[in-house]
């Protein structure tokens, strides 16, 4: 899928790390609020459990269905697409993430924590949204990020305790790995 809306977000905000991370955080919070509302509606209607494939906005009736353009925009600004685009913009160099965490300059900790919690709860959406190749690249980047964070944690480099972040990161990595394995086996069965 074309990443045009994500490209626009990055084109506008790439010159200011703090504004870029703030925009990504705002888009993530918006997406999570929409998802939470959809889950509430599903529970009320007696269907769908948390972790079901997420459609960005739950149509309540055909007359209230959102326009296709809005659904496309929600899909293109999906948190996994934006995180992938951020990594792509940085050349998959997670040392910048680490710098943002150590210095606190870009307010990256709240964003990455929320994103990793989302990833841990709904890892299958990363595979569905990004596809196998991009999801594999995301997984490799996170494995490197986690390994470097753990090494720096041992050296006590951070001005705060990153143990909770490492715990969330570990859950997200395990969930993403499991979702990728499930997707791979499903793909093999369909061939």
């Amino acid at each position: 899928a074309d990443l045009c809306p994500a490209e626009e977000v990055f084109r506008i905000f790439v010159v200011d790390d703090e504004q870029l991370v703030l925009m990504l955080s705002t888009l993530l919070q918006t997406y999570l609020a929409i998802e939470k509302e959809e889950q509430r509606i599903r529970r009320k209607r007696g269907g769908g459990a948390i972790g079901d494939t997420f459609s960005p906005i739950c149509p309540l009736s055909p007359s209230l269905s959102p326009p296709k353009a809005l659904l496309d925009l929600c899909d293109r600004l999906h948190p996994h697409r934006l995180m992938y685009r951020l990594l792509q913009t940085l050349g998959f160099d997670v040392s910048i993430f680490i710098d943002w965490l150590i210095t606190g300059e870009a307010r990256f900790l709240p964003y990455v924590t929320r994103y990793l919690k989302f990833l841990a709860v709904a890892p299958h959406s990363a595979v569905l949204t990004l596809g196998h190749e991009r999801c594999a690249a995301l997984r490799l980047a996170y494995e490197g990020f986690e390994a470097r964070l753990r090494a720096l944690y041992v050296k006590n480099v951070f001005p705060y305790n990153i143990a909770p972040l490492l715990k969330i990161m570990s859950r997200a990595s395990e969930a993403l790995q499991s979702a990728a394995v499930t997707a791979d086996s499903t793909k093999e069965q369909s061939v």
Side-chain angles (χ1 to χ4, degrees):
D2 176 5
L3 296 178
C4 185
E7 293 295 330
E8 285 301 308
V9 167
F10 283 86
R11 185 184 64 74
I12 294 167
F13 293 101
V14 76
V15 295
D16 185 337
D17 296 342
E18 189 170 340
Q19 289 299 313
L20 175 61
V21 172
L22 179 62
M23 177 54 65
L24 293 173
S25 186
T26 301
L27 290 169
L28 175 59
Q29 288 174 315
T30 302
Y31 185 91
L32 293 175
I34 291 169
E35 182 180 62
K36 184 177 180 180
E37 179 62 12
E38 180 192 33
Q39 289 172 358
R40 185 191 68 75
I41 292 167
R42 282 183 178 186
R43 280 191 305 273
K44 187 175 179 180
R45 296 166 83 193
I50 293 176
D52 282 353
T53 302
F54 172 63
S55 61
I57 298 173
C58 178
L60 302 175
S61 74
S63 65
L64 296 177
S65 293
K68 184 177 178 348
L70 179 59
L71 293 174
D72 288 345
L73 181 63
C74 288
D75 180 57
R76 290 180 181 184
L77 290 175
H78 191 285
H80 297 311
R81 288 191 197 285
L82 293 172
M83 178 54 82
Y84 180 84
R85 183 63 179 99
L86 177 60
L87 284 163
Q88 193 178 41
T89 298
L90 301 175
F92 290 88
D93 180 5
V94 294
S95 65
I96 296 168
F97 285 4
I98 291 167
D99 183 51
W100 287 344
L101 287 172
I102 291 172
T103 64
E105 77 181 50
R107 299 182 189 163
F108 188 65
L109 180 61
Y111 168 67
V112 77
T113 301
R114 262 189 227 100
Y115 175 76
L116 290 170
K117 286 179 180 179
F118 170 65
L119 180 59
V121 172
H124 60 279
S125 68
V127 178
L128 293 171
T129 303
L130 296 174
H132 292 283
E133 189 176 311
R134 288 180 176 170
C135 189
L138 182 72
R139 197 170 65 238
L140 283 173
Y142 276 125
E143 288 170 2
F145 184 36
E146 184 177 8
R148 292 189 62 197
L149 278 178
R150 288 192 184 285
L152 291 171
Y153 175 68
V154 169
K155 293 180 181 180
N156 201 24
V157 172
F158 291 89
Y160 51 88
N161 182 8
I162 65 161
L165 177 62
L166 290 171
K167 187 175 180 179
I168 294 165
M169 189 168 242
S170 180
R171 281 195 333 249
S173 293
E174 288 170 11
L176 187 57
Q177 177 64 33
S178 176
V181 167
T182 301
D184 287 343
S185 67
T186 303
K187 186 178 175 183
E188 287 174 11
Q189 289 175 0
S190 67
V191 173

